[in-house]
Amino acid sequence: MSESEPEQCRHDSDPAPTSCNHASRFHAVVLAFGLCLVPPAGTAATPSLPAPLSEGNFIAFDPEQAALGRLLFYDKILSGNQNISCGTCHHHDHASSDGLSLGIGEGGNGVGPLRTAGEGRDRIRRRIARNSLGLWNLGHKDIKVLLHDGRLSPSDLYGNGFNSPAEEWLPQGLNSLLAAQALLPLASAPEMAGDPGENEIAGAVIDRFDKGWPVLAKRVRTIPEYGKMFVAAFDHVERPEEVSIVEIANAVAAFIGTEFRNHDSPFDRHLAGDATALDPAERRGMELFFGEAGCSGCHSGPLLSDQSFHALGLPAFGPGRKRMWDPMPRDVGRMGESDDLRDAYRFRTPFLRNVALTAPYGHNGAMPTLEDMVRHHLDPAASRAGWTPAMASLPPAPWLADIDFVIRSDLLEMARQERALDVALPPLSDEDVQELVAFLNALTGETAGRRPLGRPERVPSGLPVD
């Protein structure tokens, strides 16, 4: 899921995050990519597993709208310079993400780890500030917050059903969090809009967050093939001229919500009663996860996330998703949304199904592997000390070299981030770590690589498909 650039910091009505520092004999927590491993007081806890997922747990999106959304998802017509699509950073070939620590947005070339930063006047001017989130199971009815800092959530604050960076300018009629999220990258300069002076979209969003959306809607609906598809897919649309950005967003949401629905992993089979679904290492890892290691302290619920916010102490790098008045390229996490100092450097616990397919890990993709991420939380200080820039998956961009790692030279900021840790884990054996990793791999769906619709070969605009 993309991380659109904010225009300003806002307050919201969300409660302060619950701390992961549970009282226990060890008073310990490990947050592996958001995992809380909480050793219980006294004896080992009885594992409490979530209920199996079923189709009834998900929003029932319209199949015809999903088929239309598939084309829009991969059509570069929705970007300012018509050179990047949603699918560029959330590609089927890369399990709905891009395999990079920090993405290459508008101006780049190619997809996945081989994507380049562009050249000449078209080269990127900044990296995307955060890791591209996978899209798995985002149509689940229990999802209450999206994006690394949770700046998108259901709310009556602005009268449109959502608390979002677009505030009151988010249009009425969006049918889900997914639809609201689909609009945000379209107004982000480094992601899809481009820079002022390059195209009409970029110029419009500088005036106001929502000003580019009507221009994009007109681009789409005036293509005859799209116009006919919208009339067929939406009962209330009788003529192509009636298509707005709302129908576009709802179609993209229908595609994401159905295409990336996947819950047929060995773990899911185990939940359904198949006693042979997990091998011994995976089963022991599950017992650690839901029992004595306490991972489910944060990775709880049907999607293995408490949807709350925790500080992981990951190595810092990149442009940061800083607020307007921040004097440095830092990422303050949830605090950038809530403006609450208690939220500093905290990020949302991610959902874990298919997590083995979406490396690298962390809000900035600092950790290349699941094992690296688990071990980081066993000893954050040692992990930070041993981390090197070579561990980050960053396509070369020499003109950005001064900014990529400059934050690491700010000793005061590094000390602040180190103090903000919600992590204090007792030692785990190498065998424990390997079994936890085995279980995390057992969260991969058997059909995760075989999606029902897949990437289209062509799109109605005639623009190239990545």
Side-chain angles (χ1 to χ4, degrees):
M1 186 77 61
S2 56
E3 283 292 318
S4 308
E5 297 294 312
E7 296 301 320
Q8 59 185 9
C9 179
R10 296 171 294 107
H11 293 270
D12 64 19
S13 57
D14 292 347
T18 302
S19 171
C20 274
N21 291 325
H22 303 270
S24 72
R25 182 170 65 180
F26 300 102
H27 194 64
V29 176
V30 64
L31 299 169
F33 29 72
L35 265 92
C36 289
L37 298 185
V38 186
T43 58
T46 300
S48 179
L49 304 182
L53 290 175
S54 69
E55 292 302 299
N57 297 136
F58 294 86
I59 299 170
F61 290 104
D62 181 88
E64 199 166 7
Q65 292 178 19
L68 171 56
R70 168 182 178 249
L71 300 175
L72 293 164
F73 186 84
Y74 277 101
D75 200 329
K76 296 177 180 179
I77 198 171
L78 289 179
S79 64
N81 290 320
Q82 303 187 53
N83 60 358
I84 189 171
S85 71
C86 305
T88 303
C89 296
H90 298 282
H91 202 278
H92 275 81
D93 288 351
H94 302 286
S96 76
S97 186
D98 62 3
L100 298 173
S101 294
L102 302 175
I104 296 292
E106 201 282 329
N109 295 300
V111 296
L114 298 181
R115 185 165 172 79
T116 64
E119 56 187 21
R121 295 179 59 186
D122 295 331
R123 69 187 188 183
I124 66 168
R125 301 190 183 186
R126 66 202 74 113
R127 299 186 192 275
I128 304 302
R130 290 182 181 151
N131 180 253
S132 175
L133 288 163
L135 304 180
W136 299 104
N137 296 316
L138 295 185
H140 196 281
K141 294 176 182 177
D142 282 355
I143 292 179
K144 305 301 182 188
V145 63
L146 287 179
L147 305 178
H148 286 291
D149 57 12
R151 66 190 183 280
L152 178 59
S153 59
S155 173
D156 294 327
L157 183 62
Y158 296 111
N160 51 27
F162 304 96
N163 181 14
S164 80
E167 301 180 342
E168 67 266 34
W169 307 118
L170 198 71
Q172 300 281 347
L174 299 172
N175 62 14
S176 63
L177 270 178
L178 271 177
Q181 192 282 327
L183 291 184
L184 304 185
L186 309 185
S188 166
E191 292 184 56
M192 294 183 72
D195 288 304
E198 291 183 336
N199 63 76
E200 57 187 345
I201 306 301
V205 299
I206 286 294
D207 291 336
R208 203 172 73 191
F209 201 105
D210 64 319
K211 288 294 187 179
W213 293 332
V215 183
L216 290 172
K218 185 176 181 180
R219 276 188 190 176
V220 170
R221 67 175 177 252
T222 54
I223 295 174
E225 185 176 352
Y226 271 135
K228 293 177 182 178
M229 293 181 73
F230 274 100
V231 170
F234 289 88
D235 292 340
H236 66 278
V237 175
E238 297 182 354
R239 299 177 298 119
E241 292 79 9
E242 298 172 2
V243 174
S244 73
I245 200 66
V246 171
E247 286 75 34
I248 291 171
N250 286 341
V252 172
F255 170 68
I256 295 172
T258 55
E259 181 74 352
F260 297 105
R261 183 182 305 171
N262 183 245
H263 46 90
D264 60 0
S265 69
F267 176 61
D268 290 298
R269 295 204 315 275
H270 175 84
L271 293 178
D274 183 352
T276 65
L278 300 174
D279 68 28
E282 293 165 347
R283 188 179 186 90
R284 174 57 181 157
M286 180 192 69
E287 292 168 352
L288 283 166
F289 189 95
F290 290 99
E292 62 194 81
C295 309
S296 57
C298 288
H299 281 284
S300 57
L303 298 179
L304 304 180
S305 170
D306 62 1
Q307 301 190 58
S308 190
F309 305 88
H310 311 293
L312 311 185
L314 289 168
F317 61 92
R321 206 167 182 285
K322 62 189 183 69
R323 299 166 296 174
M324 289 187 297
W325 53 84
D326 278 334
M328 62 195 76
R330 65 178 180 175
D331 196 326
V332 297
R334 178 65 173 168
M335 186 174 75
E337 160 63 17
S338 68
D339 206 25
D340 187 334
L341 187 60
R342 294 171 295 177
D343 290 338
Y345 313 116
R346 285 182 162 142
F347 296 88
R348 191 203 64 178
T349 307
F351 310 118
L352 290 188
R353 278 181 171 77
N354 292 328
V355 67
L357 304 179
T358 57
Y361 302 104
H363 70 275
N364 60 1
M367 294 297 154
T369 70
L370 288 173
E371 181 175 346
D372 288 327
M373 196 58 157
V374 172
R375 290 190 181 278
H376 168 81
H377 296 88
L378 291 172
D379 191 342
S383 176
R384 287 168 67 101
W387 190 86
T388 66
M391 295 174 68
S393 178
L394 299 175
W399 58 95
L400 299 178
D402 289 343
I403 198 70
D404 277 342
F405 300 102
V406 67
I407 190 61
R408 298 175 62 77
S409 65
D410 189 321
L411 300 182
L412 292 177
E413 176 63 13
M414 292 300 93
R416 281 189 289 268
Q417 294 192 22
E418 188 170 352
R419 289 195 301 270
L421 286 176
D422 290 330
V423 178
L425 182 71
L428 294 179
S429 70
D430 288 344
E431 184 178 10
D432 290 337
V433 170
Q434 296 305 321
E435 288 168 341
L436 281 172
V437 171
F439 171 66
L440 294 171
N441 277 280
L443 299 176
T444 302
E446 290 189 358
T447 61
R450 302 191 302 276
R451 298 294 77 221
L453 294 178
R455 180 185 67 87
E457 293 298 321
R458 59 168 295 276
V459 290
S461 70
L463 293 168
V465 178
D466 285 330

